Amino acid sequence: MTTYKTRQEVPEQEKWNLNDLYSDVGLWEKDYRHIEEMAEKLKTFDGQIHNGHSLYQYLKQSEELSYVFNKLYAYPMLKVDEDTRETTSQSLLDKAKQLSVKVSSSTSFFMPFLLSLEEETLKSYINEEKGLDYFAEDLMESFRYKLHVLSKDQEKILSQLGEALSVPSHTFGMINNADIKFGKVTGDNGEPIELTRGMYTKLIEDENREKRKEAYFAYYKPYLQLKNSIAATLSGAIKNNVTMAKVRHYPSALEKGLFGDRVPKEVYENLISTTKKNITPLHRYTKIRKEKLKLDELHQYDMSVPLISGVKPVISYEEAYETMLKALSPLGKDYIQMLREFRDARYIDVRETPGKRSGAYNLGIYGVHPFILLNHQDDLDSLFTLVHECGHGVHSMLSSKYQPQISAKYSIFVAEVASTVNEVLLINYLLKNEQDSNVRKHLLNHFIDQYKGTFFTQVMFAEFEKKTHEMAEAGIPLNVDIFNQTYETLFREYNGDTIVFDEQVKYGWSRIPHFYRPFYVYKYATGYASAIHLATRIFEGDEKTIQSYLEFLKSGCSDYPLELLKKTGVDLTTSEPIENALKRFEELVDEFSKIL
């Protein structure tokens, strides 16, 4: 594998080109001053919007500001991610953050003002000013929240409580990221070494069972020691959600969480009930895992180790890119041409170097192009990561190209569809073309485990959130015992009785940061199911699906997520996409059991 000691050693072609944002810091500073002036101008609209013309002027200038500000903020953020140790980039990012506060403060009057208007007054403004046609849909969308917005004085009090209400989430973040120490595990040379999260994800997949077991118990130890503190933070976060839902007149915390995407609670409930009706193949896979590993007892620390040993294909970045272009060719020439442009015009930062931010992401910037961060490791996971992030990248590119700024930013609900469609097309392509039976088995195993993590585990988490919020709404006290009991019951229902339950299993809830962002995780599962549904048809060459899917990628947030997906043939208000995804999982388990 290619390793680089410094960023300078990396070939130019494998580094993103930030000159596309600013060719020098002087131009960045110029935009900084421009935004400061624009923010001051926006402040002067406070109390001065009395007709359609002044409303239009405010909105037009506000949109211009956000266009420039997005570029300005992205530049130092991307610079910092190239090398987090670099102080010049950090100070630019700090300046951008301070400017963000100024901008927010200069526009904070607007939403309370807008929602204080009568609907008829707003409609009369829109009718009298032609320019407001562009903003009309967004203005009326804001009115959906009118029922849930309180008086000006009450809103002021709530905004002052904002920091206090975020304490549970912030406290958990500090415990989880700063305070928790996992202790020591045995290194390769027999020396004790400090366990880290990154190391844990590798060790829990190690073929040496003793290493997996040692890492598992070390990883959970601090969570068990801090169980009461973490239970208090989670309980606080849930109670805050429930209280805010009541204060803002939502029927339940769940419905408040789904309101923004206009998703009926039946979609959430249907996801859970349909999955549980079709859970048998997952139980069967757990049994296959136990048999294949030849274990008397299957424990949770045996659930991540690959079942096919000795298969670790080396895939260079060049090879990975060419494989991606072939695998995604069913999406058409224009799609593939865009991916070539990503590489040739240097939208991607490829290599891991000292100080570089870990992980991978896509950042779409309206009016410029996407920037993709990778830490390519020349392995199968890195190939999947490349394909995944490029899915987001093309989605950003097409939404920017075909939508005006106001409707170009797609919602999280649909974001994972674009990336997962690519992953499914890739796995289908690899399975179709792979001759080596061992590698084929490895690919199937990879796909099934990915399915389990992205779909089944997220549905289980979604049900845990629903149950614990309902308990809080019913006045049932939330504590360690309640969380343990709820989590353990669900874990058994989803994973079956093949697994032997160590004490640690029921504490799974204590380490999930997503629980502090309520009713979010279900989107991974609906996105995955939608992607399976679409990718299967695209792979088969269904022209109608291909065209409607490409239109979907161009749509940004021009409609609500469920409506955008319906246009591709995926209707999440029915159980069909979920049933199809579960049927596909069953087929994979069947195939895997036959070739083992």
Side-chain angles (χ1 to χ4, degrees):
M1 192 179 82
T2 318
T3 54
Y4 295 96
K5 290 190 176 70
T6 66
R7 187 169 175 82
Q8 285 67 41
E9 290 177 19
V10 180
E12 282 300 296
Q13 200 52 42
E14 294 183 356
K15 293 190 278 199
W16 54 30
N17 181 12
L18 299 188
N19 285 348
D20 293 352
L21 286 167
Y22 292 99
S23 53
D24 66 63
V25 176
L27 293 170
W28 186 88
E29 296 280 5
K30 190 178 168 190
D31 267 355
Y32 189 96
R33 290 189 294 277
H34 181 43
I35 292 168
E36 280 186 316
E37 287 161 16
M38 289 167 92
E40 284 304 314
K41 261 175 97 175
L42 285 179
K43 253 190 208 169
T44 64
F45 283 90
D46 190 358
Q48 301 303 313
I49 301 176
H50 304 300
N51 53 35
H53 178 69
S54 50
L55 177 59
Y56 172 64
Q57 286 303 320
Y58 170 80
L59 291 169
K60 188 168 130 242
Q61 289 176 38
S62 176
E63 190 182 68
E64 282 167 19
L65 185 150
S66 86
Y67 175 80
V68 183
F69 181 77
N70 288 342
K71 266 179 65 181
L72 179 117
Y73 195 92
Y75 181 74
M77 188 192 110
L78 296 170
K79 288 293 283 179
V80 165
D81 289 352
E82 287 178 1
D83 188 345
T84 53
R85 305 164 304 179
E86 232 288 309
T87 52
T88 315
S89 312
Q90 282 167 10
S91 61
L92 283 185
L93 185 57
D94 287 341
K95 276 185 79 171
K97 285 176 180 172
Q98 286 158 17
L99 186 59
S100 166
V101 174
K102 277 187 196 169
V103 170
S104 296
S105 138
S106 66
T107 56
S108 63
F109 74 91
F110 184 70
M111 275 315 276
F113 155 74
L114 184 66
L115 294 171
S116 72
L117 293 176
E118 291 303 318
E119 195 164 339
E120 287 315 306
T121 309
L122 178 62
K123 283 180 176 168
S124 74
Y125 287 179
I126 292 169
N127 289 334
E128 76 186 45
E129 171 58 64
K130 186 94 184 81
L132 283 175
D133 289 353
Y134 173 79
F135 296 102
E137 217 171 295
D138 260 38
L139 290 168
M140 298 317 293
E141 164 65 12
S142 299
F143 258 79
R144 272 209 315 133
Y145 288 85
K146 195 169 170 78
L147 279 174
H148 308 293
V149 172
L150 311 176
S151 72
K152 195 171 179 180
D153 288 345
Q154 288 169 320
E155 283 294 337
K156 195 172 179 186
I157 293 165
L158 280 184
S159 72
Q160 287 166 349
L161 286 173
E163 206 174 327
L165 291 169
S166 68
V167 164
S169 168
H170 182 66
T171 305
F172 176 74
M174 295 307 284
I175 290 171
N176 203 36
N177 299 316
D179 294 344
I180 274 188
K181 295 284 178 281
F182 298 110
K184 292 191 164 44
V185 290
T186 313
D188 289 335
N189 56 3
E191 291 293 307
I193 51 168
E194 200 73 37
L195 181 66
T196 63
R197 273 202 178 80
M199 201 189 298
Y200 177 72
T201 55
K202 285 191 170 64
L203 287 173
I204 204 69
E205 294 179 1
D206 202 290
E207 288 180 15
N208 181 331
R209 194 175 189 218
E210 282 310 307
K211 278 191 173 184
R212 297 200 301 269
K213 183 177 176 180
E214 185 187 27
Y216 176 76
F217 282 101
Y219 185 73
Y220 269 90
K221 190 179 176 184
Y223 290 105
L224 268 68
Q225 285 168 339
L226 294 164
K227 60 188 179 188
N228 291 303
S229 303
I230 297 175
T233 62
L234 184 56
S235 169
I238 292 168
K239 285 175 191 164
N240 283 351
N241 298 337
V242 167
T243 303
M244 288 308 290
K246 276 184 195 155
V247 166
R248 291 202 175 279
H249 312 301
Y250 288 94
S252 66
L254 173 61
E255 282 153 291
K256 178 179 180 288
L258 304 179
F259 186 81
D261 285 322
R262 217 176 197 162
V263 172
K265 70 176 176 22
E266 289 73 22
V267 168
Y268 196 97
E269 289 163 349
N270 168 54
L271 170 70
I272 293 168
S273 60
T274 307
T275 302
K276 288 177 91 166
K277 275 183 213 147
N278 296 276
I279 204 76
T280 314
L282 183 60
H283 293 179
R284 192 168 147 232
Y285 174 61
T286 309
K287 286 189 175 122
I288 292 169
R289 179 167 273 284
K290 183 182 174 185
E291 286 160 20
K292 176 66 184 159
L293 292 171
K294 297 185 172 65
L295 296 171
D296 295 333
E297 287 185 349
L298 185 76
H299 290 255
Q300 201 187 358
Y301 50 79
D302 300 314
M303 297 300 284
S304 301
V305 58
L307 297 179
I308 312 303
S309 60
V311 181
K312 286 210 170 159
V314 174
I315 307 163
S316 71
Y317 179 66
E318 295 72 20
E319 193 187 337
Y321 218 94
E322 288 308 315
T323 303
M324 171 172 74
L325 297 178
K326 288 176 197 155
L328 302 183
S329 61
L331 290 168
K333 285 179 184 166
D334 290 348
Y335 193 103
I336 298 304
Q337 188 47 44
M338 256 180 287
L339 293 177
R340 290 189 196 282
E341 186 185 332
F342 281 18
R343 179 181 57 189
D344 300 343
R346 293 172 50 203
Y347 298 176
I348 308 177
D349 207 76
V350 180
R351 299 293 172 183
E352 183 176 33
T353 48
K356 185 176 170 180
R357 177 189 158 142
S358 61
Y361 64 70
N362 162 72
L363 179 70
I365 300 164
Y366 189 80
V368 188
H369 59 68
F371 288 88
I372 293 173
L373 179 129
L374 301 173
N375 280 279
H376 195 82
Q377 300 293 336
D378 293 354
D379 58 16
L380 187 66
D381 281 341
S382 288
L383 167 59
F384 273 92
T385 302
L386 170 69
V387 166
H388 179 103
E389 297 306 337
C390 284
H392 287 312
V394 172
H395 196 182
S396 298
M397 190 96 165
L398 289 173
S399 287
S400 273
K401 187 176 176 184
Y402 289 94
Q403 292 298 320
Q405 187 179 342
I406 200 166
S407 55
K409 195 171 177 4
Y410 47 80
S411 80
I412 299 284
F413 193 98
V414 296
E416 291 307 317
V417 176
S419 51
T420 312
V421 160
N422 281 12
E423 288 198 52
V424 179
L425 287 173
L426 172 64
I427 195 86
N428 286 342
Y429 169 82
L430 293 173
L431 285 169
K432 186 180 176 184
N433 292 288
E434 185 52 64
Q435 302 304 315
D436 185 312
S437 66
N438 247 15
V439 176
R440 223 187 126 67
K441 288 177 198 172
H442 179 67
L443 288 167
L444 267 175
N445 183 201
H446 183 280
F447 196 11
I448 291 169
D449 282 341
Q450 183 200 48
Y451 226 116
K452 186 173 178 288
T454 314
F455 185 81
F456 291 100
T457 302
Q458 305 308 323
V459 177
M460 182 181 84
F461 287 169
E463 189 171 2
F464 178 83
E465 284 191 280
K466 183 174 181 288
K467 281 181 179 296
T468 50
H469 278 79
E470 284 168 353
M471 285 178 205
E473 282 162 345
I476 296 166
L478 298 176
N479 52 40
V480 172
D481 294 338
I482 292 284
F483 288 140
N484 279 355
Q485 197 182 327
T486 309
Y487 194 88
E488 183 175 353
T489 303
L490 289 172
F491 194 94
R492 287 180 187 276
E493 285 174 13
Y494 282 81
N495 292 280
D497 53 13
T498 307
I499 300 177
V500 172
F501 271 63
D502 294 305
E503 177 74 0
Q504 283 70 11
V505 172
K506 62 188 178 193
Y507 287 95
W509 58 268
S510 67
R511 56 180 190 84
I512 311 296
H514 280 102
F515 288 157
Y516 296 84
R517 189 175 179 181
F519 305 111
Y520 174 84
V521 291
Y522 86 100
K523 297 176 191 184
Y524 289 120
T526 51
Y528 201 78
S530 305
I532 294 285
H533 192 95
L534 288 164
T536 306
R537 284 163 174 68
I538 291 166
F539 189 71
E540 288 162 359
D542 179 335
E543 206 49 53
K544 191 179 166 202
T545 302
I546 293 167
Q547 288 318 309
S548 65
Y549 175 65
L550 292 170
E551 283 307 310
F552 162 80
L553 294 179
K554 295 171 185 174
S555 302
C557 61
S558 58
D559 207 339
Y560 292 105
L562 292 182
E563 298 310 311
L564 289 175
L565 283 167
K566 272 182 194 170
K567 292 171 193 168
T568 69
V570 175
D571 186 355
L572 285 165
T573 61
T574 72
S575 55
E576 188 198 7
I578 310 299
E579 282 167 355
N580 283 351
L582 291 159
K583 187 165 170 281
R584 178 71 180 120
F585 181 77
E586 186 174 12
E587 288 165 5
L588 290 168
V589 173
D590 281 347
E591 188 181 348
F592 190 57
S593 68
K594 282 175 191 152
I595 66 171
L596 266 183

